Amino acid sequence: MAIDRLTGETVELLQALIRNQCVNEGTAESGHEIRNAELLHHEIEHPDVEVQLFEPLPGRASLVARYHGTDPDAPVLCLMGHTDVVPVTADGWRQDPWGGELINGEVWGRGAVDMLNVTSSMAVAFREIVSSKKRYPGDIVYFAVADEEHGGEHGAAYVIDNHWEAIKCDYVLTEYGGTPTASPDGVMVLLTSGEKGGAARRIKVRGTPGHGSMPYGADSALVKAAAIVQRLVDFDTGPRLGEMFANRLKALNLDEEMQARLLDPARVRDALAELPPGLAKNLHSCSHMSWSPNILSSGDKANVIPDYAELMVDIRTLPGQDGAMVDDMLREAIGDDLMPSVVIEPYFPNPEKFALDPSSSSTNTPLWEALEQSIQMAYPGAAVVPSLVTGGTDSRFFRRKGIPAYGAGLLSLDIPMDEFQNRFHGYNERIDVDSLKLTTQLWLDVMDRLWELA
Ligand SMILES: [Zn+2]
């Protein structure tokens, strides 16, 4: 079968991408995505494919490959995969994180689920269409992008802002989605149609300096900052329990009583506390603006009461929540007694440009329908459910332009959903070959349907 040959190609390409170790440490000098960009260039090179490489900084290369359709007015599909990965702590792993080894039907290594599995399967599907000389009405663009793991400034954002002509498209498929759950009512498959935003804040706290030997009644910036940390943790940012959240609960197979409680604003907090911690965490984030105070610094001398402290809070917003809402809620949580000592600012520079705004795409599109039909080829009768991811992806740059972008893929039933999520940026990241096969087939099936539905 052709799909077995293609699956073998996806496995080999995934192994090679993992071994290239394009580790994004968050610095401009890290990443070295040129290694994966050159490898992919070599893989998809063909006289009928237009390839462009963009390298805004040394080593930070992204690749755009375009295969023309027959009708210049037909919609263009972009398959986007990032080529960078996050660092590892190797001691936590049972296998070499950079080995890309195939062990008992699983490919091991950093990037195996985030997202070199998708990047490799997309390249193989793209190459298959090109080499079989199949022409669809619309162009197919393969976009292998750097720097997703640090906000996209040197990757997707750079190419979209500076070379829109090269990347121009009408629909985008990228990470991540396609997690199936089996239930008595059949299989449910989650795809991503939206993501949370990031609105990290720096909270600067002023106090009065004094001698550390006489702390009684002191106006310590650190003590006030510590009180603020506790207030932030105790504050309820309020649940948003919309349709997408309800669908997520359905897909999780929770019993009806639990679902009803989780959908009731008055009872959701108590209901979360009864769930397994991993699940509770995820459901909390899918239904609330989240605040995580992660860095607190103050003082530099052991015998001086500090007059300044700084607190960094990682904040993730839901679609419909903006920066003004974040600041209003923070002021309320901090309280009138402490607010006079406090200044709140965005944590990341250039928030207008690189802000992780919450974003979502309508599912009322031919691409969604093509995904639905294709997934039902693999899982007959499956319900395909739109869901929200709690982190940020490069989708937002396209959604800002009004272009529908979905997180897709297709996994086997062998990986429980919770376990799958723990592999993202975690230890022992790996993917089974069946999932690579399903995902490779998915891209081919979607392309076969999209232009008939468009
Ligand atoms: Zn990713």
Side-chain angles (χ1 to χ4, degrees):
M1 286 258 293
I3 189 60
D4 293 324
R5 169 179 56 83
L6 296 175
T7 305
E9 292 174 18
T10 298
V11 168
E12 274 176 36
L13 183 53
L14 170 60
Q15 292 176 309
L17 292 169
I18 290 171
R19 290 170 186 151
N20 271 341
Q21 301 189 32
C22 297
V23 181
N24 188 340
E25 282 160 1
T27 58
E29 303 74 39
S30 68
H32 311 287
E33 293 92 341
I34 185 131
R35 296 197 283 253
N36 276 344
E38 281 174 349
L39 168 65
L40 290 163
H41 187 182
H42 177 74
E43 292 288 322
I44 58 167
E45 227 166 5
H46 189 279
D48 295 339
V49 174
E50 243 173 65
V51 178
Q52 287 175 278
L53 277 170
F54 300 104
E55 195 178 350
L57 289 173
R60 311 307 302 266
S62 294
L63 170 145
V64 180
R66 185 176 289 261
Y67 179 57
H68 286 284
T70 53
D71 174 2
D73 297 324
V76 175
L77 174 66
C78 172
L79 304 171
M80 172 170 66
H82 65 79
T83 54
D84 59 328
V85 297
V86 295
V88 298
T89 313
D91 336 355
W93 287 62
R94 298 202 299 275
Q95 304 293 341
D96 177 2
W98 306 118
E101 288 160 284
L102 177 60
I103 302 167
N104 295 332
E106 292 180 310
V107 178
W108 284 69
R110 176 57 90 225
V113 300
D114 184 10
M115 67 174 285
L116 303 177
N117 55 329
V118 174
T119 308
S120 58
S121 59
M122 283 175 163
V124 167
F126 179 86
R127 180 173 62 189
E128 178 64 9
I129 300 290
V130 172
S131 60
S132 64
K133 304 238 168 228
K134 212 178 235 183
R135 293 268 182 188
Y136 292 109
D139 298 358
I140 304 167
V141 174
Y142 176 69
F143 188 20
V145 67
D147 201 30
E148 192 276 343
E149 295 290 2
H150 194 66
E153 180 179 358
H154 310 304
Y158 172 81
V159 178
I160 290 168
D161 286 352
N162 298 284
H163 302 282
W164 179 244
E165 278 306 305
I167 189 64
K168 201 165 65 177
C169 59
D170 301 281
Y171 295 109
V172 176
L173 288 176
T174 187
E175 67 184 342
Y176 82 87
T179 43
T181 334
S183 81
D185 308 332
V187 174
M188 224 172 228
V189 179
L190 293 180
L191 294 180
T192 299
S193 61
E195 67 193 42
K196 291 187 83 175
R201 290 291 187 265
R202 186 191 310 276
I203 299 180
K204 297 175 164 174
V205 186
R206 282 274 164 214
T208 312
H211 201 288
S213 66
M214 293 181 292
Y216 182 79
D219 177 35
S220 161
L222 175 60
V223 173
K224 287 194 279 194
I228 290 170
V229 168
Q230 195 58 51
R231 289 179 191 187
L232 297 185
V233 172
D234 294 339
F235 190 79
D236 185 357
T237 57
R240 294 212 166 189
L241 311 168
E243 196 192 332
M244 203 185 268
F245 186 65
N247 283 331
R248 179 149 190 91
L249 299 184
K250 257 188 240 155
L252 285 166
N253 246 330
L254 295 167
D255 69 64
E256 299 215 340
E257 160 67 14
M258 182 48 97
Q259 289 191 39
R261 290 171 62 204
L262 288 167
L263 288 170
D264 178 351
R267 294 190 291 164
V268 59
R269 266 208 152 186
D270 292 341
L272 285 172
E274 288 172 29
L275 293 173
L279 181 60
K281 223 184 260 196
N282 180 268
L283 292 181
H284 177 270
S285 278
C286 288
S287 55
H288 291 75
M289 182 196 297
S290 64
W291 293 351
S292 182
N294 292 347
I295 305 173
L296 173 58
S297 53
S298 85
D300 46 17
K301 197 154 184 328
N303 63 354
V304 178
I305 292 169
D307 61 347
Y308 181 74
E310 207 175 275
L311 172 63
M312 181 272 175
V313 191
D314 185 356
I315 296 178
R316 306 294 174 127
T317 52
L318 291 164
Q321 296 177 326
D322 61 11
M325 197 181 283
V326 169
D327 292 330
D328 282 348
M329 264 195 233
L330 282 174
R331 280 191 285 268
E332 194 189 330
I334 292 169
D336 292 343
D337 56 332
L338 289 175
M339 266 315 292
S341 312
V342 164
V343 174
I344 301 171
E345 328 182 307
Y347 184 77
F348 292 109
N350 300 325
E352 330 56 51
K353 196 157 176 216
F354 296 107
L356 295 163
D357 26 314
S359 64
S360 62
S361 296
S362 159
T363 56
N364 188 15
T365 65
L367 179 58
W368 188 269
E369 207 179 327
L371 283 164
E372 216 163 24
Q373 290 184 9
S374 304
I375 286 171
Q376 286 163 348
M377 298 276 292
Y379 293 113
V384 177
V385 176
S387 77
L388 185 74
V389 284
T390 56
T393 74
D394 286 332
S395 288
R396 70 187 186 283
F397 300 117
F398 289 95
R399 293 198 187 114
R400 273 180 199 171
K401 289 184 169 288
I403 295 168
Y406 305 126
L410 194 57
L411 301 184
S412 71
L413 281 161
D414 294 345
I415 318 175
M417 199 191 297
D418 266 18
E419 148 78 27
F420 180 67
Q421 282 174 348
N422 289 336
R423 292 182 191 173
F424 279 75
H425 301 192
Y427 293 148
N428 299 319
E429 188 176 346
R430 61 199 190 278
I431 185 92
D432 61 304
V433 174
D434 274 349
S435 294
L436 294 172
K437 178 176 177 173
L438 287 163
T439 301
T440 307
Q441 182 71 57
L442 177 72
W443 311 132
L444 294 168
D445 288 341
V446 165
M447 289 188 270
D448 256 347
R449 284 169 177 73
L450 174 63
W451 287 279
E452 282 173 17
L453 296 163

